[in-house]
Amino acid sequence: MAGLVAAARLRELGRKAVVLEKGDRPGGSMLLSSCVVWRFREWDDFRAECPGGDERLQRVVWERLDEAIAWLESLGAPVVWQETGNPRTVGKRFDPRGLTDVLVRAAGELRLSTSHNVLPREDEPVVLCTGGFQGSAELVAEHIRPAGRLRLRANRWSAGDGLRIGLTRGATRSAGMDEFYGRNMPDTDFSEADFVPQAQLYGRFARVFNEDGEEFFEGRVSWSENDLVQATARQPSARAWYVLDDAALAERVRDRTVADMVAAAPSSAKLEPERLPFCVQAEARIAVRIAPGITHTIGGLRIDERACVLGEGGRRVEGLLAAGADVGGISTGGYASGLAAALVFGRIAAESAT
Ligand SMILES: Cc1cc2nc3c(=O)[nH]c(=O)nc-3n(C[C@H](O)[C@H](O)[C@H](O)COP(=O)(O)OP(=O)(O)OC[C@H]3O[C@@H](n4cnc5c(N)ncnc54)[C@H](O)[C@@H]3O)c2cc1C
């Protein structure tokens, strides 16, 4: 998202921009997403939910998101929900295909299937927006250190190229390099079309056991369940079981019951509770074996409020800007909308580049 947004804003400001896209289609993970672009309604909630984030960057997202959403609408981006449906957040849900098409039209020159080895020229401003490093098994192992391989729940091209280019040019890393946003998915193979419908977003209603039969998660699971997903990644083989009774199966998350979400999981990920290799509650009805899918990394390049990449001593790296999941330090310690950060800082990066 951030790259298309930056290019569209640059054109609007009368500048020429070229989007170099590594993939064979535009839109990145935005195109695959649920496309809810949101912020916390209350500033204090943002700070409380993402306590490790850089307060100055968070403030920019929080203050500038509403105008940025209005800008998307002014470009013709199709809105499918006028509200998020979550009382703690405000924002809109866009149609991801429609939003991508609108941004591609507004962005102008787009070159698909560019090589990741093409280093940007140093004498022209560059906005790094390659979408994080979740697609690189090596970088994920180095920074996040999961106890087993994390399957990718995102576009397949975001493999840390922005991070690598930034570090080569003298950038520094943000806090939270070991954090990620993702969803617990059924422990079976899944495709892009399964990313949203197969997400098992009901861990807060389940009893959660690791492979050794231990209930490893302490305290209350957050509404986004990102804390549970990250904790699952650190269990033996990065796997867990959600064990559900009738009351849990009847709970609702937005327009779906937990039973609906369980039904969406392939049968090979489900078991009768009595067949588990450890004892669970007598009233349990079903067990679902889950494993985290990684959607995007939370740590990344350090930037300032103008989207300028920061090097040692907080000095700006000349000509280098960054936006989207290549940037770290915004939702650190929790979860906040990746699309919101990409939208706000994509626009700001364009303004700074001029
Ligand atoms: C299933 C799913 C559901 C989601 N739902 C939501 C949601 O409802 N709300 C929300 O806020 N977020 C959601 N997200 C997350 C959201 O999609 C991301 O936070 C957002 O897309 C990040 O924007 P970005 O511009 O950094 O990355 P992307 O949108 O992924 O764009 C990065 C682009 O960079 C390209 N690229 C990578 N390497 C290179 C290179 N070397 N050279 C050139 N191009 C390169 C990629 O191909 C990609 O097109 C969801 C994601 C997924 C997968």
Side-chain angles (χ1 to χ4, degrees):
M1 176 183 225
L4 292 173
V5 165
R9 182 76 179 125
L10 274 161
R11 268 187 97 205
E12 190 175 66
L13 296 170
R15 303 300 170 107
K16 181 173 154 46
V18 182
V19 180
L20 302 178
E21 167 56 60
K22 180 172 156 188
D24 57 16
R25 62 173 188 229
S29 291
M30 173 183 70
L31 179 63
L32 309 173
S33 77
S34 307
C35 227
V36 186
V37 188
W38 60 271
R39 64 170 172 84
F40 289 98
R41 188 180 293 275
E42 305 297 335
W43 164 246
D44 289 346
D45 259 5
F46 194 176
R47 287 298 298 148
E49 293 265 354
C50 305
D54 181 330
E55 190 168 342
R56 291 165 314 155
L57 302 184
Q58 292 177 336
R59 179 59 85 171
V60 171
V61 176
W62 194 78
E63 285 179 351
R64 292 201 53 184
L65 183 65
D66 299 357
E67 79 189 62
I69 288 178
W71 175 76
L72 286 182
E73 291 186 84
S74 75
L75 295 177
V79 174
V80 290
W81 292 351
Q82 292 292 345
E83 292 178 2
T84 62
N86 177 346
R88 305 187 63 192
T89 65
V90 290
K92 296 201 174 176
R93 183 178 190 173
F94 291 87
D95 170 62
R97 162 59 61 195
L99 175 58
T100 302
D101 291 346
V102 159
L103 286 174
V104 166
R105 271 200 301 278
E109 187 176 349
L110 167 70
R111 296 184 203 153
L112 294 176
S113 304
T114 55
S115 163
H116 70 284
N117 292 321
V118 179
L119 283 181
R121 284 171 50 173
E122 296 205 9
D123 58 345
E124 288 177 333
V126 169
V127 185
L128 296 174
C129 36
T130 71
F133 63 85
Q134 60 280 351
S136 161
E138 300 85 63
L139 288 174
V140 167
E142 179 188 339
H143 292 289
I144 295 176
R145 294 185 292 279
R149 191 176 72 83
L150 301 182
R151 279 155 325 150
L152 191 62
R153 182 179 174 268
N155 86 73
R156 56 189 180 280
W157 298 287
S158 294
D161 297 329
L163 179 67
R164 288 196 191 90
I165 293 169
L167 295 177
T168 308
R169 297 266 298 264
T172 47
R173 298 179 184 89
S174 72
M177 291 299 290
D178 59 345
E179 296 181 30
F180 70 95
Y181 161 63
R183 289 271 186 250
N184 276 338
M185 301 291 288
D187 186 21
T188 54
D189 288 338
F190 52 79
S191 67
E192 282 180 355
D194 301 320
F195 287 173
V196 174
Q198 284 200 11
Q200 303 291 290
L201 186 61
Y202 53 80
R204 73 202 103 154
F205 305 119
R207 287 184 65 184
V208 186
F209 298 85
N210 66 16
E211 299 272 83
D212 299 332
E214 294 161 352
E215 289 186 271
F216 60 89
F217 193 84
E218 287 174 12
R220 251 180 90 196
V221 175
S222 68
W223 64 274
S224 72
E225 304 201 359
N226 205 39
D227 45 2
L228 176 58
V229 174
Q230 293 184 85
T232 306
R234 299 196 160 91
Q235 298 310 303
S237 16
R239 299 282 186 281
W241 290 95
Y242 284 169
V243 179
L244 300 146
D245 57 21
D246 284 332
L249 287 164
E251 293 282 357
R252 298 192 80 85
V253 179
R254 291 211 187 106
D255 52 344
R256 299 170 82 198
T257 62
V258 172
D260 293 334
M261 288 186 267
V262 171
S267 52
S268 55
K270 294 183 262 197
L271 213 57
E272 294 85 42
E274 51 280 12
R275 294 180 56 207
L276 286 166
F278 46 85
C279 289
V280 295
Q281 68 273 31
E283 59 281 12
R285 283 291 178 155
I286 192 153
V288 184
R289 194 174 137 109
I290 47 91
I294 182 169
T295 301
H296 63 74
T297 40
I298 285 180
L301 298 169
R302 271 180 66 222
I303 61 164
D304 64 13
E305 299 100 307
R306 300 301 313 157
C308 298
V309 172
L310 298 177
E312 290 301 337
R315 280 187 300 276
R316 287 180 173 173
V317 178
E318 191 64 28
L320 208 57
L321 302 129
D326 279 352
V327 168
I330 296 176
S331 58
T332 321
Y335 170 59
S337 169
L339 291 170
L343 170 61
V344 168
F345 279 108
R347 273 165 54 86
I348 291 175
E351 290 155 11
S352 295
T354 61

